CSV table of all heavy atoms in Angstrom, one decimal:
chain,number,residue,atom,x,y,z
A,43,PRO,N,-15.5,62.1,77.7
A,43,PRO,CA,-15.2,62.7,76.4
A,43,PRO,C,-13.7,62.8,76.1
A,43,PRO,O,-13.3,63.4,75.1
A,43,PRO,CB,-15.8,64.0,76.4
A,43,PRO,CG,-15.8,64.4,77.9
A,43,PRO,CD,-16.0,63.1,78.6
A,44,ARG,N,-12.8,62.2,77.0
A,44,ARG,CA,-11.4,62.3,76.8
A,44,ARG,C,-10.9,61.4,75.6
A,44,ARG,O,-11.6,60.5,75.3
A,44,ARG,CB,-10.6,62.0,78.1
A,44,ARG,CG,-10.9,63.0,79.2
A,44,ARG,CD,-10.1,62.6,80.4
A,44,ARG,NE,-10.7,61.4,81.0
A,44,ARG,CZ,-10.8,61.1,82.3
A,44,ARG,NH1,-10.2,61.9,83.1
A,44,ARG,NH2,-11.3,60.0,82.7
A,45,SER,N,-9.7,61.6,75.2
A,45,SER,CA,-9.1,60.8,74.2
A,45,SER,C,-8.7,59.4,74.8
A,45,SER,O,-8.6,59.3,76.0
A,45,SER,CB,-7.8,61.5,73.6
A,45,SER,OG,-6.8,61.5,74.6
A,46,GLY,N,-8.3,58.5,73.9
A,46,GLY,CA,-7.9,57.2,74.3
A,46,GLY,C,-6.7,57.2,75.2
A,46,GLY,O,-6.6,56.5,76.2
A,47,LYS,N,-5.7,58.0,74.9
A,47,LYS,CA,-4.5,58.1,75.7
A,47,LYS,C,-4.8,58.7,77.0
A,47,LYS,O,-4.2,58.2,78.1
A,47,LYS,CB,-3.4,58.9,74.9
A,47,LYS,CG,-2.8,58.1,73.8
A,47,LYS,CD,-1.6,58.9,73.2
A,47,LYS,CE,-1.1,58.0,72.0
A,47,LYS,NZ,0.2,58.2,71.7
A,48,GLU,N,-5.6,59.7,77.1
A,48,GLU,CA,-6.0,60.3,78.4
A,48,GLU,C,-6.7,59.3,79.2
A,48,GLU,O,-6.5,59.2,80.4
A,48,GLU,CB,-6.8,61.5,78.1
A,48,GLU,CG,-6.1,62.7,77.6
A,48,GLU,CD,-7.0,63.9,77.3
A,48,GLU,OE1,-8.2,63.6,77.1
A,48,GLU,OE2,-6.5,65.0,77.2
A,49,ASN,N,-7.6,58.5,78.6
A,49,ASN,CA,-8.3,57.5,79.3
A,49,ASN,C,-7.4,56.4,79.8
A,49,ASN,O,-7.5,55.9,81.0
A,49,ASN,CB,-9.4,56.8,78.5
A,49,ASN,CG,-10.6,57.7,78.3
A,49,ASN,OD1,-10.8,58.6,79.1
A,49,ASN,ND2,-11.4,57.5,77.3
A,50,GLN,N,-6.4,56.0,79.0
A,50,GLN,CA,-5.5,55.0,79.4
A,50,GLN,C,-4.7,55.5,80.6
A,50,GLN,O,-4.4,54.7,81.6
A,50,GLN,CB,-4.5,54.6,78.3
A,50,GLN,CG,-5.2,53.8,77.2
A,50,GLN,CD,-4.2,53.6,76.0
A,50,GLN,OE1,-3.1,54.1,76.0
A,50,GLN,NE2,-4.7,52.8,75.1
A,51,GLN,N,-4.2,56.7,80.6
A,51,GLN,CA,-3.5,57.3,81.7
A,51,GLN,C,-4.3,57.4,83.0
A,51,GLN,O,-3.9,57.0,84.1
A,51,GLN,CB,-2.9,58.7,81.4
A,51,GLN,CG,-2.0,59.3,82.4
A,51,GLN,CD,-0.8,58.4,82.7
A,51,GLN,OE1,-0.2,57.9,81.8
A,51,GLN,NE2,-0.5,58.3,84.0
A,52,ALA,N,-5.6,57.8,82.8
A,52,ALA,CA,-6.5,57.9,83.9
A,52,ALA,C,-6.7,56.5,84.5
A,52,ALA,O,-6.8,56.3,85.7
A,52,ALA,CB,-7.8,58.5,83.5
A,53,LEU,N,-6.8,55.5,83.7
A,53,LEU,CA,-7.0,54.1,84.1
A,53,LEU,C,-5.8,53.6,84.9
A,53,LEU,O,-5.9,53.0,85.9
A,53,LEU,CB,-7.4,53.2,82.9
A,53,LEU,CG,-7.7,51.7,83.3
A,53,LEU,CD1,-8.9,51.7,84.2
A,53,LEU,CD2,-8.0,50.9,82.0
A,54,ARG,N,-4.6,53.9,84.4
A,54,ARG,CA,-3.4,53.5,85.1
A,54,ARG,C,-3.3,54.2,86.5
A,54,ARG,O,-3.0,53.5,87.4
A,54,ARG,CB,-2.2,53.9,84.3
A,54,ARG,CG,-1.8,53.0,83.2
A,54,ARG,CD,-0.5,53.3,82.5
A,54,ARG,NE,-0.5,52.9,81.2
A,54,ARG,CZ,-0.6,53.7,80.1
A,54,ARG,NH1,-0.5,55.0,80.3
A,54,ARG,NH2,-0.7,53.3,78.9
A,55,ASN,N,-3.6,55.5,86.5
A,55,ASN,CA,-3.6,56.2,87.8
A,55,ASN,C,-4.6,55.6,88.7
A,55,ASN,O,-4.4,55.4,89.9
A,55,ASN,CB,-3.9,57.7,87.5
A,55,ASN,CG,-2.8,58.4,86.8
A,55,ASN,OD1,-1.7,58.0,86.8
A,55,ASN,ND2,-3.2,59.6,86.3
A,56,TYR,N,-5.8,55.3,88.2
A,56,TYR,CA,-6.8,54.7,89.1
A,56,TYR,C,-6.4,53.3,89.6
A,56,TYR,O,-6.6,53.0,90.8
A,56,TYR,CB,-8.1,54.5,88.3
A,56,TYR,CG,-9.3,53.9,89.0
A,56,TYR,CD1,-10.0,54.7,90.0
A,56,TYR,CD2,-9.6,52.6,88.8
A,56,TYR,CE1,-11.0,54.1,90.7
A,56,TYR,CE2,-10.7,52.0,89.5
A,56,TYR,CZ,-11.3,52.8,90.5
A,56,TYR,OH,-12.4,52.2,91.2
A,57,ALA,N,-5.8,52.5,88.7
A,57,ALA,CA,-5.3,51.2,89.1
A,57,ALA,C,-4.2,51.3,90.2
A,57,ALA,O,-4.2,50.6,91.2
A,57,ALA,CB,-4.8,50.4,87.9
A,58,ASP,N,-3.3,52.3,90.0
A,58,ASP,CA,-2.2,52.5,90.9
A,58,ASP,C,-2.8,53.0,92.3
A,58,ASP,O,-2.4,52.5,93.4
A,58,ASP,CB,-1.2,53.6,90.4
A,58,ASP,CG,-0.4,53.1,89.3
A,58,ASP,OD1,-0.3,51.9,89.1
A,58,ASP,OD2,0.2,53.9,88.6
A,59,GLU,N,-3.7,53.9,92.3
A,59,GLU,CA,-4.4,54.3,93.5
A,59,GLU,C,-5.1,53.2,94.2
A,59,GLU,O,-5.0,53.0,95.5
A,59,GLU,CB,-5.3,55.5,93.3
A,59,GLU,CG,-4.7,56.8,92.9
A,59,GLU,CD,-5.7,57.9,92.5
A,59,GLU,OE1,-6.9,57.7,92.8
A,59,GLU,OE2,-5.2,58.9,92.0
A,60,THR,N,-5.8,52.4,93.5
A,60,THR,CA,-6.5,51.3,94.0
A,60,THR,C,-5.6,50.3,94.6
A,60,THR,O,-5.8,49.7,95.8
A,60,THR,CB,-7.4,50.6,93.0
A,60,THR,OG1,-8.3,51.5,92.4
A,60,THR,CG2,-8.2,49.4,93.6
A,61,SER,N,-4.5,50.0,94.0
A,61,SER,CA,-3.4,49.1,94.5
A,61,SER,C,-2.9,49.6,95.8
A,61,SER,O,-2.6,48.9,96.7
A,61,SER,CB,-2.4,48.9,93.4
A,61,SER,OG,-1.3,48.1,93.9
A,62,ASP,N,-2.6,50.9,95.8
A,62,ASP,CA,-2.1,51.5,97.0
A,62,ASP,C,-3.1,51.4,98.2
A,62,ASP,O,-2.7,51.1,99.3
A,62,ASP,CB,-1.7,53.0,96.8
A,62,ASP,CG,-0.5,53.2,95.9
A,62,ASP,OD1,0.2,52.3,95.7
A,62,ASP,OD2,-0.4,54.4,95.4
A,63,HIS,N,-4.3,51.6,97.9
A,63,HIS,CA,-5.4,51.5,98.9
A,63,HIS,C,-5.5,50.1,99.4
A,63,HIS,O,-5.6,49.8,100.6
A,63,HIS,CB,-6.7,52.0,98.4
A,63,HIS,CG,-6.8,53.4,98.2
A,63,HIS,ND1,-6.6,54.4,99.2
A,63,HIS,CD2,-7.1,54.2,97.1
A,63,HIS,CE1,-6.7,55.6,98.7
A,63,HIS,NE2,-7.1,55.5,97.4
A,64,LEU,N,-5.4,49.1,98.5
A,64,LEU,CA,-5.4,47.7,98.9
A,64,LEU,C,-4.3,47.3,99.8
A,64,LEU,O,-4.4,46.6,100.8
A,64,LEU,CB,-5.5,46.8,97.7
A,64,LEU,CG,-6.8,46.7,96.9
A,64,LEU,CD1,-6.6,45.9,95.7
A,64,LEU,CD2,-7.9,46.1,97.8
A,65,GLN,N,-3.1,47.8,99.4
A,65,GLN,CA,-1.9,47.6,100.2
A,65,GLN,C,-2.0,48.2,101.6
A,65,GLN,O,-1.7,47.6,102.6
A,65,GLN,CB,-0.6,48.1,99.5
A,65,GLN,CG,0.6,47.7,100.2
A,65,GLN,CD,0.9,46.2,100.3
A,65,GLN,OE1,0.6,45.5,99.4
A,65,GLN,NE2,1.2,45.8,101.5
A,66,ASP,N,-2.6,49.4,101.7
A,66,ASP,CA,-2.8,50.0,103.0
A,66,ASP,C,-3.8,49.2,103.8
A,66,ASP,O,-3.5,49.0,105.0
A,66,ASP,CB,-3.4,51.4,102.7
A,66,ASP,CG,-3.5,52.3,104.0
A,66,ASP,OD1,-2.5,52.2,104.8
A,66,ASP,OD2,-4.5,52.9,104.2
A,67,VAL,N,-4.9,48.8,103.2
A,67,VAL,CA,-5.8,47.9,104.0
A,67,VAL,C,-5.1,46.6,104.5
A,67,VAL,O,-5.3,46.2,105.6
A,67,VAL,CB,-7.1,47.6,103.1
A,67,VAL,CG1,-7.9,46.6,103.8
A,67,VAL,CG2,-7.9,48.9,102.9
A,68,SER,N,-4.4,46.0,103.6
A,68,SER,CA,-3.7,44.8,103.9
A,68,SER,C,-2.7,45.0,105.1
A,68,SER,O,-2.6,44.2,106.0
A,68,SER,CB,-2.9,44.3,102.7
A,68,SER,OG,-2.2,43.1,103.0
A,69,ASP,N,-2.0,46.1,105.0
A,69,ASP,CA,-1.0,46.4,106.1
A,69,ASP,C,-1.8,46.7,107.4
A,69,ASP,O,-1.3,46.2,108.5
A,69,ASP,CB,-0.2,47.7,105.8
A,69,ASP,CG,0.8,47.5,104.6
A,69,ASP,OD1,1.0,46.3,104.3
A,69,ASP,OD2,1.2,48.5,104.1
A,70,LYS,N,-2.9,47.3,107.4
A,70,LYS,CA,-3.6,47.6,108.6
A,70,LYS,C,-4.2,46.3,109.2
A,70,LYS,O,-4.3,46.1,110.4
A,70,LYS,CB,-4.7,48.7,108.3
A,70,LYS,CG,-4.1,50.0,108.1
A,70,LYS,CD,-5.2,51.1,107.9
A,70,LYS,CE,-4.5,52.4,107.7
A,70,LYS,NZ,-5.4,53.5,107.6
A,71,VAL,N,-4.7,45.4,108.3
A,71,VAL,CA,-5.2,44.1,108.8
A,71,VAL,C,-4.1,43.3,109.4
A,71,VAL,O,-4.3,42.7,110.5
A,71,VAL,CB,-5.9,43.4,107.6
A,71,VAL,CG1,-6.2,41.9,108.0
A,71,VAL,CG2,-7.2,44.0,107.2
A,72,SER,N,-2.9,43.4,108.8
A,72,SER,CA,-1.8,42.7,109.4
A,72,SER,C,-1.4,43.2,110.7
A,72,SER,O,-1.1,42.5,111.7
A,72,SER,CB,-0.6,42.8,108.4
A,72,SER,OG,0.5,42.1,109.0
A,73,ASP,N,-1.4,44.6,110.9
A,73,ASP,CA,-1.1,45.2,112.1
A,73,ASP,C,-2.1,44.8,113.2
A,73,ASP,O,-1.8,44.6,114.3
A,73,ASP,CB,-1.1,46.7,112.0
A,73,ASP,CG,0.1,47.2,111.2
A,73,ASP,OD1,1.1,46.4,111.0
A,73,ASP,OD2,0.1,48.4,110.8
A,74,LEU,N,-3.4,44.8,112.8
A,74,LEU,CA,-4.5,44.4,113.7
A,74,LEU,C,-4.3,43.0,114.2
A,74,LEU,O,-4.4,42.7,115.4
A,74,LEU,CB,-5.8,44.5,113.0
A,74,LEU,CG,-7.1,44.2,113.9
A,74,LEU,CD1,-7.1,45.0,115.1
A,74,LEU,CD2,-8.3,44.3,113.1
A,75,LYS,N,-3.9,42.1,113.3
A,75,LYS,CA,-3.7,40.7,113.7
A,75,LYS,C,-2.5,40.6,114.7
A,75,LYS,O,-2.6,39.9,115.7
A,75,LYS,CB,-3.4,39.8,112.5
A,75,LYS,CG,-4.6,39.5,111.6
A,75,LYS,CD,-4.2,38.6,110.4
A,75,LYS,CE,-5.4,38.3,109.6
A,75,LYS,NZ,-5.0,37.5,108.4
A,76,ASP,N,-1.5,41.3,114.4
A,76,ASP,CA,-0.3,41.3,115.3
A,76,ASP,C,-0.7,41.9,116.7
A,76,ASP,O,-0.3,41.3,117.7
A,76,ASP,CB,0.8,42.2,114.7
A,76,ASP,CG,1.5,41.6,113.5
A,76,ASP,OD1,1.3,40.3,113.3
A,76,ASP,OD2,2.2,42.3,112.8
A,77,SER,N,-1.5,42.9,116.7
A,77,SER,CA,-1.9,43.5,118.0
A,77,SER,C,-2.8,42.5,118.8
A,77,SER,O,-2.7,42.4,120.0
A,77,SER,CB,-2.7,44.8,117.7
A,77,SER,OG,-1.9,45.8,117.2
A,78,ILE,N,-3.7,41.8,118.1
A,78,ILE,CA,-4.5,40.8,118.7
A,78,ILE,C,-3.7,39.7,119.3
A,78,ILE,O,-3.9,39.3,120.4
A,78,ILE,CB,-5.6,40.3,117.7
A,78,ILE,CG1,-6.6,41.4,117.5
A,78,ILE,CG2,-6.3,39.0,118.3
A,78,ILE,CD1,-7.6,41.0,116.4
A,79,ASN,N,-2.7,39.2,118.5
A,79,ASN,CA,-1.8,38.1,119.1
A,79,ASN,C,-1.0,38.6,120.3
A,79,ASN,O,-0.8,37.9,121.2
A,79,ASN,CB,-0.9,37.6,117.9
A,79,ASN,CG,-1.7,36.8,116.9
A,79,ASN,OD1,-2.7,36.2,117.2
A,79,ASN,ND2,-1.1,36.8,115.7
A,80,GLN,N,-0.6,39.9,120.2
A,80,GLN,CA,0.2,40.4,121.3
A,80,GLN,C,-0.7,40.5,122.6
A,80,GLN,O,-0.3,40.2,123.7
A,80,GLN,CB,0.8,41.8,121.0
A,80,GLN,CG,1.6,42.4,122.1
A,80,GLN,CD,2.2,43.7,121.7
A,80,GLN,OE1,2.0,44.2,120.6
A,80,GLN,NE2,2.9,44.3,122.6
A,81,LEU,N,-1.9,41.0,122.4
A,81,LEU,CA,-2.9,41.1,123.5
A,81,LEU,C,-3.2,39.7,124.1
A,81,LEU,O,-3.3,39.6,125.3
A,81,LEU,CB,-4.2,41.8,123.0
A,81,LEU,CG,-5.2,42.0,124.0
A,81,LEU,CD1,-4.7,42.9,125.1
A,81,LEU,CD2,-6.5,42.6,123.4
A,82,LYS,N,-3.4,38.7,123.2
A,82,LYS,CA,-3.6,37.4,123.7
A,82,LYS,C,-2.5,36.9,124.6
A,82,LYS,O,-2.7,36.3,125.7
A,82,LYS,CB,-3.8,36.4,122.6
A,82,LYS,CG,-5.1,36.4,121.9
A,82,LYS,CD,-5.2,35.4,120.8
A,82,LYS,CE,-6.4,35.5,120.0
A,82,LYS,NZ,-6.4,34.5,118.9
A,83,ALA,N,-1.2,37.1,124.1
A,83,ALA,CA,-0.1,36.7,124.9
A,83,ALA,C,0.0,37.4,126.3
A,83,ALA,O,0.3,36.8,127.3
A,83,ALA,CB,1.2,37.0,124.1
A,84,GLU,N,-0.3,38.7,126.3
A,84,GLU,CA,-0.2,39.5,127.5
A,84,GLU,C,-1.3,39.0,128.5
A,84,GLU,O,-1.1,38.9,129.7
A,84,GLU,CB,-0.4,41.0,127.2
A,84,GLU,CG,0.8,41.6,126.6
A,84,GLU,CD,0.7,43.0,126.2
A,84,GLU,OE1,-0.4,43.6,126.5
A,84,GLU,OE2,1.6,43.5,125.5
A,85,VAL,N,-2.5,38.8,128.0
A,85,VAL,CA,-3.6,38.3,128.8
A,85,VAL,C,-3.3,36.9,129.4
A,85,VAL,O,-3.5,36.7,130.6
A,85,VAL,CB,-4.9,38.2,128.0
A,85,VAL,CG1,-6.0,37.4,128.7
A,85,VAL,CG2,-5.5,39.6,127.7
A,86,SER,N,-2.7,36.0,128.6
A,86,SER,CA,-2.3,34.7,129.1
A,86,SER,C,-1.3,34.8,130.2
A,86,SER,O,-1.3,34.2,131.2
A,86,SER,CB,-1.8,33.9,127.9
A,86,SER,OG,-1.3,32.6,128.4
A,87,PHE,N,-0.3,35.7,130.0
A,87,PHE,CA,0.8,35.9,131.0
A,87,PHE,C,0.2,36.4,132.3
A,87,PHE,O,0.5,35.9,133.3
A,87,PHE,CB,1.8,36.9,130.4
A,87,PHE,CG,2.9,37.2,131.4
A,87,PHE,CD1,3.9,36.3,131.6
A,87,PHE,CD2,3.0,38.4,132.0
A,87,PHE,CE1,4.9,36.6,132.5
A,87,PHE,CE2,4.0,38.7,132.9
A,87,PHE,CZ,5.0,37.8,133.2
A,88,VAL,N,-0.7,37.5,132.2
A,88,VAL,CA,-1.3,38.0,133.4
A,88,VAL,C,-2.2,37.0,134.1
A,88,VAL,O,-2.2,36.9,135.3
A,88,VAL,CB,-2.1,39.3,133.0
A,88,VAL,CG1,-2.9,39.8,134.2
A,88,VAL,CG2,-1.1,40.4,132.6
A,89,GLN,N,-2.9,36.3,133.3
A,89,GLN,CA,-3.9,35.3,133.8
A,89,GLN,C,-3.1,34.3,134.6
A,89,GLN,O,-3.5,33.9,135.7
A,89,GLN,CB,-4.6,34.6,132.7
A,89,GLN,CG,-5.6,33.6,133.2
A,89,GLN,CD,-6.3,32.9,132.0
A,89,GLN,OE1,-6.0,33.0,130.9
A,89,GLN,NE2,-7.3,32.1,132.3
A,90,ASN,N,-2.0,33.8,134.1
A,90,ASN,CA,-1.2,32.8,134.8
A,90,ASN,C,-0.6,33.4,136.1
A,90,ASN,O,-0.6,32.7,137.1
A,90,ASN,CB,0.0,32.3,133.9
A,90,ASN,CG,-0.5,31.4,132.8
A,90,ASN,OD1,-1.6,30.9,132.8
A,90,ASN,ND2,0.3,31.3,131.7
A,91,ASP,N,-0.1,34.6,136.1
A,91,ASP,CA,0.4,35.2,137.3
A,91,ASP,C,-0.7,35.4,138.3
A,91,ASP,O,-0.5,35.1,139.5
A,91,ASP,CB,1.0,36.6,137.0
A,91,ASP,CG,2.4,36.5,136.3
A,91,ASP,OD1,2.9,35.4,136.3
A,91,ASP,OD2,2.9,37.6,135.9
A,92,VAL,N,-1.9,35.8,137.9
A,92,VAL,CA,-3.0,36.0,138.8
A,92,VAL,C,-3.4,34.7,139.4
A,92,VAL,O,-3.7,34.6,140.6
A,92,VAL,CB,-4.2,36.7,138.1
A,92,VAL,CG1,-5.4,36.7,139.0
A,92,VAL,CG2,-3.8,38.2,137.8
A,93,MET,N,-3.5,33.6,138.6
A,93,MET,CA,-3.9,32.3,139.1
A,93,MET,C,-2.9,31.8,140.1
A,93,MET,O,-3.3,31.2,141.1
A,93,MET,CB,-4.1,31.3,137.9
A,93,MET,CG,-5.3,31.6,137.1
A,93,MET,SD,-6.9,31.6,138.0
A,93,MET,CE,-7.0,29.9,138.5
A,94,ASP,N,-1.6,31.9,139.8
A,94,ASP,CA,-0.6,31.5,140.7
A,94,ASP,C,-0.7,32.2,142.1
A,94,ASP,O,-0.6,31.6,143.1
A,94,ASP,CB,0.8,31.7,140.1
A,94,ASP,CG,1.1,30.7,139.0
A,94,ASP,OD1,0.3,29.8,138.8
A,94,ASP,OD2,2.0,31.0,138.2
A,95,GLU,N,-0.9,33.5,142.0
A,95,GLU,CA,-1.0,34.3,143.2
A,95,GLU,C,-2.3,34.0,144.0
A,95,GLU,O,-2.2,33.9,145.2
A,95,GLU,CB,-1.0,35.8,142.9
A,95,GLU,CG,-0.9,36.7,144.1
A,95,GLU,CD,-0.8,38.2,143.7
A,95,GLU,OE1,-0.3,38.5,142.6
A,95,GLU,OE2,-1.1,39.0,144.5
Side-chain angles (χ1 to χ4, degrees):
R44 293 182 289 214
S45 70
K47 288 189 181 205
E48 289 175 340
N49 282 342
Q50 288 176 356
Q51 185 60 40
L53 183 58
R54 279 189 212 110
N55 291 342
Y56 180 76
D58 289 342
E59 288 176 11
T60 302
S61 177
D62 291 343
H63 290 304
L64 285 173
Q65 185 60 44
D66 187 44
V67 168
S68 176
D69 291 344
K70 288 182 180 181
V71 167
S72 178
D73 290 346
L74 179 62
K75 286 180 181 179
D76 291 344
S77 295
I78 288 171
N79 288 333
Q80 183 180 0
L81 182 62
K82 284 181 183 179
E84 289 175 6
V85 166
S86 177
F87 178 74
V88 169
Q89 180 183 9
N90 290 338
D91 282 353
V92 168
M93 288 303 294
D94 291 345
E95 188 173 338

